[in-house]
Amino acid sequence: MRAVPKLETRSTMTRMETKAYNAGVRAALDMARTAAITIETGEGSDELPKRGAAAALYSFADAAKALLIDPRLDPISGHEGEP
């Protein structure tokens, strides 16, 4: 039986790289929420496929928060704070 390789638990990114990565993730989350709101408020929003698409986008945005490396870092100001 082969040994399972250990996963690296520490990031090898610099602080600035981490902030840039998190900013990109946050931008994707914001765009998913914006698209969901646009679908919900648009014409025909009561149709089942559109409601499903909006729900999927909200779910993606909520689940993708796990991709943040250090959510305490504010990618805009660079200050540490709450997520």
Side-chain angles (χ1 to χ4, degrees):
M1 188 168 171
R2 286 190 310 182
V4 177
K6 268 190 165 181
L7 294 176
E8 182 68 33
T9 56
R10 293 184 63 206
S11 174
T12 57
M13 286 193 238
T14 67
R15 190 172 179 88
M16 290 303 293
E17 289 169 335
T18 300
K19 288 179 191 178
Y21 171 83
N22 283 346
V25 170
R26 288 185 193 277
L29 301 178
D30 291 343
M31 290 307 298
R33 288 188 187 103
T34 300
I37 290 168
T38 301
I39 290 170
E40 287 180 332
T41 59
E43 193 173 313
S45 62
D46 58 340
E47 297 171 11
L48 185 60
K50 289 186 179 182
R51 289 191 319 220
L57 286 165
Y58 281 125
S59 294
F60 165 77
D62 289 339
K65 289 178 189 176
L67 296 174
L68 294 170
I69 293 175
D70 188 351
R72 294 171 297 148
L73 294 177
D74 181 350
I76 306 300
S77 69
H79 296 105
E80 292 186 18
E82 293 299 313

